[in-house]
Amino acid sequence: MPEILVLVDHTDGAVHKPTLELLTLARRLGEPSAVFLGPGADSATEVLGRYGAHKVYVVDAPEVGEHLVTPAVDALTQLAGRTGAAALLLPSGPDGKETAARVALRLGSGLITDAVDVVPGPDGPVTEQSVFAATYQVTAHVTRGVPVITVKPNATAPEPAPVTPLVEKQDVAFGPASAAVRVLARTPRERGDRPELTEADIVVSGGRGVNGDFTVIERVADALGAAVGASRAAVDSGWYPHRHQVGQTGAQVSPQLYLAAGISGAIQHRAGMQTSKTIVVVNKDADAPLFELADHGVVGDLFEVLPQLVEEIRRRRS
Amino acid sequence: MKIVVCVKHVPDAAADRTFTEDGSTDRASVDSLLSELDEYAIEQALRIAEADGADTEISYLTVGPDDARDALRKALAMGGDSAIHVSDEGIEGSDAFGTSLVLARAIERHGFDLVLCGMASTDGAMGVVPAMLAERLGVPAVTHVEGLTVDDGTVSGRREGDGATVSVQGTLPAVVSVTDRSGDARYPSFKGIMAAKRKPVETLDLADLGVDPAQVGRSGARSAVDTTARRPPRTKGEIVVDDGAGGAGLAAFLTARKFI
């Protein structure tokens, strides 16, 4: 079975859900090995094994925390060489994509970013991507070297396939500090009581129509067990933190249900949500373009429609 | 200080973009313009120059066919000094590897202290060219940042990374990419538009840069598109006007879809 390297996305050993999705996809292509950078591998090994990582390569060196991106590039490039891996899978965030790009350049390999699916094919892995603001689906494959692929969250549902992983500590020769970028401070993203935006099954988003107060959106989100999203207009107005922005330059989400309230539906926003399975729109402007995508729409005041929705959810559940 | 800003001429993201038969982006069927996200990089370059005085020189660099020159004119209308247009039939069909190779050679030829890029193009949208440029040039990559400052031979910014917000710093020369939160871009003034017509634009081809044509274009591409398919248009569902029971109706819909 060919070895597939998966870069682990974690916070101090707490493995994030997209990594489990990568391991699940990697099993279609071969035998997954997890590449764990930084401290905390002990607490991650069990979950990595549960999702099918036969090996866990651990690189715990000070450079990993001190420098941006390049330590991961050094580690993955050298591990790819040592293991003869058949493919590398990374998460599709800024860190994962930049790491993948530089690894591919060093390996003389091809690169595919933002895959929403990966399946085995006659010439190596075949990827699916959503492009042009998610109006097109494209399938592609790498034609040179060891394929390096970044995968978006929610590309597949994580499926357990328990094994007891072999843990191997690996030494890596890091590049010169002069070409590195120093990390002066790091503030891990707070993982609050609500699901992560890109990982959630349900996302409830608010836009300009919310007019400053996201409490109404949060109440619907909590009633549905959903993550909270926001349009760029709402974020730019300072109503909600940027990490909740859905759209071309924010998070691109593909949940089972996307509920948009007070969002007109500019291309910038549609690019981040139109692959959602079910879309519900509440807007007082009947001409809002987002209604074109809606499976169900309510033309009305969100401050009346949403509280009634929350009340009705409670009634139906009691 | 010598600043090179990389810009791209892209099909209008607001238009109905399509593919050609061979799976390339169709650039003929819709109007093209300067990629909106590049305007943030231009703005940062201009702010650095304004703070630095007369010692800063800003050049724009683009790779693309003849009409890519429009993107350079728009950039020059916002400010800056000169532009470089790399145009060669052999470049057509380049992926990020080919594009970054051509850009890197042109930047080396011109000389630089700082390369500024947008966070991604609005067409390919991979967001990997700045990282590839840094890798090829062997310099620090201060990428995906807002709150950019250049001070005493270093460049710093704040980056929303995969799981954390990080403050980062690199030494010059460096490659920097800025997000759409780095500061609103200015509009070209009438005076700027007129002045742009007199600013020099140098045109180069692959031979000028010593780039082997086999390394770029379709022959140098490292991946292949197998299929492109327009997503089936979403079927517009029932749109109801709230008559006082819109919320309850929505709950009924969500229950029918098993979300409640």
Side-chain angles (χ1 to χ4, degrees):
Chain A
M1 283 274 266
E3 187 169 355
I4 311 296
L5 296 185
V6 170
L7 180 64
V8 177
D9 176 23
H10 70 95
T11 306
D12 299 327
V15 178
H16 302 157
K17 186 172 155 229
T19 299
L20 311 180
E21 296 162 7
L22 292 186
L23 289 170
T24 303
L25 291 174
R27 297 206 306 269
R28 298 176 182 172
L29 310 174
E31 210 166 79
S33 292
V35 178
F36 187 99
L37 308 181
D42 287 351
S43 45
T45 306
E46 190 274 327
V47 69
L48 295 172
R50 196 179 339 138
Y51 285 88
H54 283 248
K55 288 184 180 170
V56 179
Y57 297 117
V58 179
V59 180
D60 188 7
E63 284 87 347
V64 171
E66 288 167 3
H67 294 157
L68 183 68
V69 174
T70 44
V73 177
D74 293 329
L76 275 178
T77 308
Q78 289 165 41
L79 280 170
R82 282 175 212 168
T83 60
L88 281 67
L89 301 184
L90 297 86
S92 257
D95 298 8
K97 286 207 283 190
E98 291 178 21
T99 303
R102 300 179 74 150
V103 168
L105 203 50
R106 289 190 194 176
L107 292 175
S109 286
L111 166 73
I112 289 171
T113 59
D114 296 319
V116 294
D117 199 11
V118 184
V119 295
D123 306 307
V126 175
T127 59
E128 186 173 334
Q129 296 160 286
S130 297
V131 304
F132 293 162
T135 54
Y136 271 85
Q137 295 296 111
V138 171
T139 60
H141 68 280
V142 163
T143 54
R144 193 179 301 178
V146 180
V148 182
I149 300 166
T150 78
V151 182
K152 284 192 169 187
N154 266 349
T156 192
E159 289 163 22
V163 288
T164 305
L166 189 69
V167 180
E168 281 184 21
K169 207 169 173 313
Q170 292 279 331
D171 290 322
V172 168
F174 293 105
S178 58
V181 168
R182 286 203 300 145
V183 174
L184 304 178
R186 182 187 300 269
T187 314
R189 190 119 56 252
E190 272 178 49
R191 296 200 157 226
D193 296 337
R194 300 191 184 97
E196 277 289 291
L197 180 58
T198 52
E199 302 168 9
D201 289 332
I202 303 178
V203 175
V204 180
S205 284
R208 209 184 292 274
V210 171
N211 216 5
D213 185 4
F214 260 67
T215 315
V216 63
I217 301 296
E218 288 178 336
R219 286 196 179 124
V220 179
D222 290 341
L224 291 167
V228 174
S231 73
R232 183 171 168 184
V235 170
D236 283 351
S237 302
W239 300 343
Y240 221 65
H242 173 247
R243 63 178 182 276
H244 291 272
Q245 184 177 318
V246 172
Q248 185 195 15
T249 58
Q252 281 126 49
V253 300
S254 198
Q256 295 298 318
L257 170 65
Y258 189 85
L259 196 162
I263 299 176
S264 64
I267 182 82
Q268 148 78 232
H269 190 75
R270 294 206 305 273
M273 47 65 73
Q274 66 181 336
T275 57
S276 304
K277 309 297 176 293
T278 298
I279 296 175
V280 170
V281 175
V282 179
N283 201 306
K284 63 182 174 192
D285 175 10
D287 296 326
L290 209 54
F291 278 122
E292 297 299 320
L293 306 180
D295 296 290
H296 184 87
V298 181
V299 181
D301 182 350
L302 69 92
F303 290 100
E304 287 173 16
V305 175
L306 295 187
Q308 188 179 72
L309 169 63
V310 172
E311 207 44 51
E312 186 66 15
I313 292 170
R314 285 206 188 109
R315 197 186 64 77
R316 282 172 187 261
R317 279 190 176 146
S318 64
Chain B
M1 185 159 58
K2 220 166 171 178
I3 302 178
V4 179
V5 187
C6 299
V7 298
K8 189 176 182 186
H9 196 235
V10 298
D12 187 351
D16 185 22
R17 295 170 291 177
T18 60
F19 286 96
T20 59
E21 271 177 32
D22 70 355
S24 309
T25 304
D26 184 352
R27 296 179 194 279
S29 65
V30 295
D31 288 340
S32 289
L33 38 69
L34 171 65
S35 179
E36 187 215 329
L37 294 171
D38 293 341
E39 292 183 19
Y40 297 96
I42 296 167
E43 178 63 31
Q44 290 304 313
L46 297 173
R47 290 185 192 183
I48 291 166
E50 283 159 3
D52 196 40
D55 293 339
T56 295
E57 176 208 318
I58 299 173
S59 302
Y60 302 106
L61 169 62
T62 198
V63 176
D66 286 349
D67 62 354
R69 193 171 274 261
D70 293 350
L72 296 175
R73 287 292 170 208
K74 167 83 187 283
L76 287 167
M78 290 169 71
D81 303 294
S82 64
I84 304 162
H85 178 196
V86 185
S87 183
D88 196 302
E89 279 180 14
I91 295 171
E92 202 183 328
S94 290
D95 59 14
F97 296 95
T99 304
S100 65
L101 176 63
V102 174
L103 289 170
R105 290 288 161 81
I107 291 164
E108 280 168 337
R109 183 180 185 273
H110 181 78
F112 72 102
D113 298 299
L114 181 62
V115 176
L116 266 164
C117 306
M119 63 190 278
S121 67
T122 57
D123 59 346
M126 294 173 78
V128 297
V129 164
M132 286 185 177
L133 278 179
E135 182 72 27
R136 290 187 184 279
L137 296 168
V139 301
V142 180
T143 37
H144 208 81
V145 295
E146 55 188 282
L148 184 69
T149 55
V150 177
D151 186 32
D152 200 22
T154 66
V155 54
S156 314
R158 192 170 56 254
R159 167 180 167 110
E160 293 250 0
D162 289 10
T165 304
V166 290
S167 295
V168 293
Q169 185 178 66
T171 51
L172 296 177
V175 173
V176 169
S177 74
V178 293
T179 71
D180 56 339
R181 294 171 56 76
S182 57
D184 284 345
R186 67 197 63 190
Y187 290 101
S189 64
F190 179 71
K191 203 175 136 200
I193 293 166
M194 297 312 288
K197 293 178 179 169
R198 295 187 303 274
K199 291 177 181 173
V201 179
E202 185 181 19
T203 305
L204 302 172
D205 61 17
L206 290 176
D208 294 324
L209 297 175
V211 173
D212 175 5
Q215 298 269 300
V216 300
R218 286 192 182 81
S219 53
R222 301 184 187 182
S223 57
V225 170
D226 299 314
T227 62
T228 63
R230 193 182 277 277
R231 286 177 72 87
R234 296 189 77 101
T235 330
K236 191 172 174 177
E238 193 189 2
I239 310 295
V240 298
V241 177
D242 183 27
D243 54 0
L250 184 45
F253 172 82
L254 295 179
T255 304
R257 295 281 177 113
K258 304 203 181 334
F259 290 114
I260 296 173

